[in-house]
Amino acid sequence: MHDEFGQRLNPRKNDLFEWRLRFAEKMREQSVPCAATRRQHRGVTRKGENFVLHSMRKRGYAGNVHKEQAKALIEAIKTGNRPAHIFLKEAVATRSEIISEYAKIVRELYKSGHKTEARLLSKFAKEVNETGFTTQAQERYDKTVSNLNHTLSNNIGRDGIER
């Protein structure tokens, strides 16, 4: 992409968010309900899967990323150690900050007589606060362990004899 002067554009995350905000504003001017929010503000801590990697995996191609993830999962299952959330401290701090800001907005809405909106935002803030902090690696581990336990329980009957 190039701007009107021929300079190459190199947008960053904040630039993209600003563009989404402006786009949502223009949509609302056209009477189309639209909002631009960050994942963290919605209580979503996990990023979505990269589309390119998802497409590759769907076609059966196991790239280096997937191979490393599989190795890490196998190692975690062997040792019985659920993968750690390496950014948990930062995620909790960010969520606390967001919930604090929501509380300030709720108080202002309530003071200005917008009690219904204040209740709705308060309910939303509670939902955001109660959302978990599970990583993709932890989710894969939990699902695999659950499937293994289910398979083992189906293969071994109530009398303890393997089927």
Side-chain angles (χ1 to χ4, degrees), residues 3-76:
D3 66 10
E4 63 271 16
F5 306 110
Q7 294 288 338
R8 188 177 188 289
L9 295 177
N10 187 10
R12 302 289 187 219
K13 281 184 188 180
N14 285 335
D15 298 323
L16 296 172
F17 182 64
E18 287 295 322
W19 294 355
R20 285 195 309 272
L21 285 174
R22 285 191 218 139
F23 179 78
E25 186 178 311
K26 295 296 181 188
M27 295 290 285
R28 287 191 300 273
E29 287 174 6
Q30 300 295 320
S31 301
V32 177
C34 189
T37 57
R38 297 182 187 267
R39 281 184 300 112
Q40 296 91 335
H41 297 162
R42 295 187 310 272
V44 178
T45 57
R46 260 190 32 214
K47 291 182 181 180
E49 184 179 11
N50 178 299
F51 177 75
V52 174
L53 295 177
H54 173 76
S55 298
M56 289 169 55
R57 188 175 47 77
K58 208 171 160 183
R59 288 192 312 264
Y61 177 77
N64 292 338
V65 172
H66 292 115
K67 288 176 186 175
E68 290 301 317
Q69 289 172 345
K71 285 179 189 174
L73 178 60
I74 290 167
E75 188 60 33

Side-chain angles (χ1 to χ4, degrees), residues 103-155:
K104 290 176 189 174
I105 295 168
V106 166
R107 282 192 296 276
E108 290 301 317
L109 283 169
Y110 197 81
K111 278 189 222 176
S112 62
H114 300 283
K115 294 178 182 176
T116 302
E117 291 83 354
R119 278 193 293 275
L120 287 171
L121 182 57
S122 180
K123 181 181 175 187
F124 175 72
K126 184 179 178 189
E127 289 171 8
V128 167
N129 197 37
E130 292 172 351
T131 305
F133 289 100
T134 305
T135 64
Q136 289 178 359
Q138 290 172 330
E139 192 173 89
R140 278 192 296 272
Y141 175 85
D142 294 343
K143 185 177 178 181
T144 304
V145 168
S146 175
N147 288 342
L148 287 171
N149 289 336
H150 180 73
T151 302
L152 287 174
S153 67
N154 285 343
N155 289 342

